[in-house]
Amino acid sequence: MVAPGFVFGLVLPLLLRADASAAHSDSWMVVLDPVKPGGPYEVMAQQILGRKNFTLRIHGVLFGDVWLCSGQSNMQMTVSQIFNATSELSNTAAYQSVHILSVSLNQAQQELEDLAEVDLRWSKPTLENLGHGNFTYMSAVCWLFGRYLHDTLRYPVGLLSSSWAGTPIEAWSSGRSLKACGVPRQGSMPSDLETGPSEYSVLWNAMIHPLRNMTLKGVIWYQGESNVNFNRDLYNCTFPALVEDWRQTFHDGSQGQTERFFPFGFVQLSSYLSGATPNDGLPQIRWHQTADFGYVPNLRMPNTFMAVAMDLCDRNSPFGSTHPRDKQTLAYRLHLGARAVAYGAKLTFQGPLPQKIELLGDMGLLNLTYSQPIQVQRHDKIFEISCCSDHQCKWLPAPMDTFSAQTLALNVKSCRDSLAAVRYAWTAWPCEYKQCPLYHPTSALPAPPFTAFITNQIPGYRSKVAK
């Protein structure tokens, strides 16, 4: 595979040669032809002004794929904070061609042309670089994702981490994308959630926009907790809008070297304890992360992939249940999506979702036919049905009845009136660690949560979520 023309260690695409006509500009660039992945190389940049010859040599240059990792605290968690940290921190010898960079925490009122500073320049992975401290650098999800990719690609991978704990999506979005979604001018986050900057666009301005000239292979994103109770109902617009805006900006800034619809992966939020009722915002935000389809890619979010994380919960995390420590499984699920969407691998990268729903009224059953084989562990409270009478609806448990390789029947006899909708895993904490009822049997990928109106019999039908 031919890698993009980006050289590790530089913020801009590599500068090879400038003539006198470029000397009066503050910045200049040369876009390289595609270079096969590999290295290290020495690259020279030269500028000639009259009789003066200025030469800059850069050593240890690698060519490969660069991935940007962004979001809030779960992306910012370092390798020293996760399960088996000691082993993971020492596992670097085989990954010296996976280079890492971590952007410093900064905010700005206007779009910056360059980064104000970095915590970690392009570097080889070491124990110190991967576990510098809690919520500093290097991002565990980012590192593990890149490591899994390198195991498959066998050529250099660049990992660029730019994240900040406790931040809403509005801080990472440009003003134009927020305007497109009708986001109120400036809201106030609940005080119990705010730990990072929440002012609109300040992180886009300081920590994303300065990177726009880089040539990216793709992005992975882990964010959403700070929007569970802040502009939640707009997330089904603000997230797809962010994806679209970042894609356009990086494509333009890289002179077309970054693909216009580059792959964009994200984590569907894990479970955490908050004293919330089953109808709190966490199930809603998970749904909105998919633009209310329940799956990706979809029409509003093309060329995307999602790692379901609701079964990777961690009651005893010393960093709070909001911060589960199993980032290995999560990164592995993300890398499966990247291999399929970004690299065209033929593999299973998402869990099973119903493709057909049939009400067998005479038998008191609701039959779900899945798109893939299913592995079932019985759980009588994870499916619910909306039972309606006189325009009043309530959610009732729908116990599992029978199942086969790709079908599952729910007992709906408790509903003696009109059955309007069905939903799965629609709670903040649907199941214990790796113990959800439905998985793909060979990939061990969990079925994602969904809600569907029975009249339409299509999961992810794009209308308001059944109440």
Side-chain angles (χ1 to χ4, degrees):
M1 177 177 289
V2 177
F6 175 80
V7 178
F8 300 164
L10 296 180
V11 174
L12 300 178
L14 184 64
L15 313 183
L16 285 184
R17 185 177 180 86
D19 56 30
S21 63
H24 302 291
S25 174
D26 290 334
S27 62
W28 48 277
M29 66 171 12
V30 173
V31 177
L32 295 179
D33 291 332
V35 178
K36 289 185 178 180
Y41 300 98
E42 178 184 278
V43 179
M44 182 180 71
Q46 186 178 55
Q47 185 178 34
I48 300 175
L49 294 174
R51 295 184 178 181
K52 295 183 178 181
N53 185 329
F54 301 93
T55 301
L56 174 66
R57 286 182 171 86
I58 305 172
H59 304 277
V61 173
L62 300 178
F63 288 84
D65 291 348
V66 178
W67 285 82
L68 169 61
C69 312
S70 188
Q72 54 182 111
S73 56
N74 270 302
M75 183 62 82
Q76 200 177 2
M77 280 181 74
T78 65
V79 181
S80 61
Q81 295 179 265
I82 65 175
F83 286 138
N84 302 317
T86 301
S87 174
E88 299 293 1
L89 288 169
S90 63
N91 186 16
T92 60
Y95 300 100
Q96 293 302 294
S97 60
V98 179
H99 284 194
I100 56 179
L101 182 150
S102 187
V103 175
S104 298
L105 306 184
N106 278 292
Q107 50 186 311
Q109 297 300 315
Q110 302 295 329
E111 292 179 344
L112 301 185
E113 295 302 306
D114 201 354
L115 295 173
E117 56 182 323
V118 296
D119 285 335
L120 181 68
R121 296 180 178 273
W122 283 116
S123 307
K124 293 181 180 181
T126 66
L127 185 151
E128 294 77 14
N129 289 343
L130 294 176
H132 187 72
N134 292 348
F135 301 105
T136 54
Y137 60 86
M138 175 65 180
S139 163
V141 172
C142 192
W143 163 248
L144 294 167
F145 169 80
R147 202 180 70 182
Y148 286 130
L149 274 186
H150 183 268
D151 287 340
T152 298
L153 300 175
R154 296 295 177 183
Y155 62 69
V157 175
L159 301 172
L160 169 59
S161 178
S162 183
S163 53
W164 195 327
T167 52
I169 195 172
E170 291 80 3
W172 297 99
S173 303
S174 71
R176 59 186 166 270
S177 65
L178 295 177
K179 183 178 180 180
C181 292
V183 177
R185 286 191 175 270
Q186 189 70 46
S188 298
M189 284 184 62
S191 58
D192 61 329
L193 293 178
E194 187 173 353
T195 59
S198 61
E199 191 173 352
Y200 294 177
S201 304
V202 292
L203 302 185
W204 159 261
N205 292 338
M207 298 177 65
I208 300 298
H209 185 265
L211 307 173
R212 71 199 181 285
N213 294 334
M214 300 181 74
T215 300
L216 299 182
K217 181 65 177 180
V219 169
I220 57 171
W221 171 260
Y222 195 159
Q223 190 278 333
E225 295 93 341
S226 288
N227 285 97
V228 169
N229 294 308
F230 179 67
N231 287 342
R232 179 181 65 238
D233 293 339
L234 293 175
Y235 204 89
N236 58 0
C237 180
T238 51
F239 183 38
L242 177 144
V243 174
E244 167 61 21
D245 189 58
W246 284 27
R247 283 172 165 170
Q248 184 69 65
T249 299
F250 278 93
H251 177 73
D252 293 344
S254 66
Q255 306 295 308
Q257 293 244 94
T258 297
E259 293 180 8
R260 173 63 181 85
F261 295 98
F262 62 75
F264 199 110
F266 64 95
V267 178
Q268 189 178 51
L269 295 187
S270 185
S271 303
Y272 58 85
L273 301 171
S274 61
T277 66
N279 292 321
D280 76 345
L282 193 51
Q284 297 279 349
I285 204 77
R286 290 183 184 129
W287 186 251
H288 292 335
Q289 286 182 288
T290 68
D292 296 354
F293 278 79
Y295 59 89
V296 296
N298 58 52
L299 292 175
R300 290 186 61 199
M301 301 180 69
N303 217 34
T304 57
F305 55 95
M306 175 178 74
V308 175
M310 65 181 181
D311 67 329
L312 301 181
C313 43
D314 188 354
R315 289 182 182 272
N316 301 315
S317 172
F319 314 105
S321 63
T322 310
H323 303 113
R325 290 167 288 174
D326 182 358
K327 295 298 193 269
Q328 292 90 337
T329 302
L330 181 64
Y332 185 80
R333 291 174 181 177
L334 276 171
H335 114 281
L336 289 178
R339 287 173 59 190
V341 173
Y343 298 99
K346 302 300 182 183
L347 51 79
T348 300
F349 67 99
Q350 50 193 349
L353 192 76
Q355 61 182 5
K356 184 180 181 182
I357 301 177
E358 297 176 287
L359 178 60
L360 308 177
D362 56 334
M363 301 173 63
L365 297 176
L366 187 67
N367 198 59
L368 283 64
T369 303
Y370 281 80
S371 58
Q372 299 171 319
I374 55 175
Q375 177 177 302
V376 180
Q377 302 179 73
R378 188 173 297 277
H379 188 310
D380 287 341
K381 294 184 179 180
I382 201 163
F383 280 98
E384 296 174 292
I385 51 174
S386 178
C387 190
C388 302
S389 176
D390 297 327
H391 303 291
Q392 296 292 322
C393 301
K394 60 180 178 180
W395 287 102
L396 303 173
M400 297 181 188
D401 192 280
T402 59
F403 56 88
S404 62
Q406 274 184 250
T407 63
L408 173 66
L410 303 178
N411 185 326
V412 296
K413 294 177 181 177
S414 60
C415 182
R416 302 183 181 278
D417 298 299
S418 175
L419 201 162
V422 60
R423 65 188 187 187
Y424 170 75
W426 209 261
T427 67
W429 192 285
C431 56
E432 295 302 319
Y433 179 74
K434 293 188 176 181
Q435 293 297 315
C436 278
L438 298 177
Y439 288 86
H440 184 270
T442 57
S443 68
L445 294 174
F450 77 87
T451 184
F453 291 96
I454 302 301
T455 52
N456 299 299
Q457 299 186 12
I458 302 174
Y461 180 76
R462 288 178 57 207
S463 64
K464 291 183 179 179
V465 176
K467 298 288 187 181

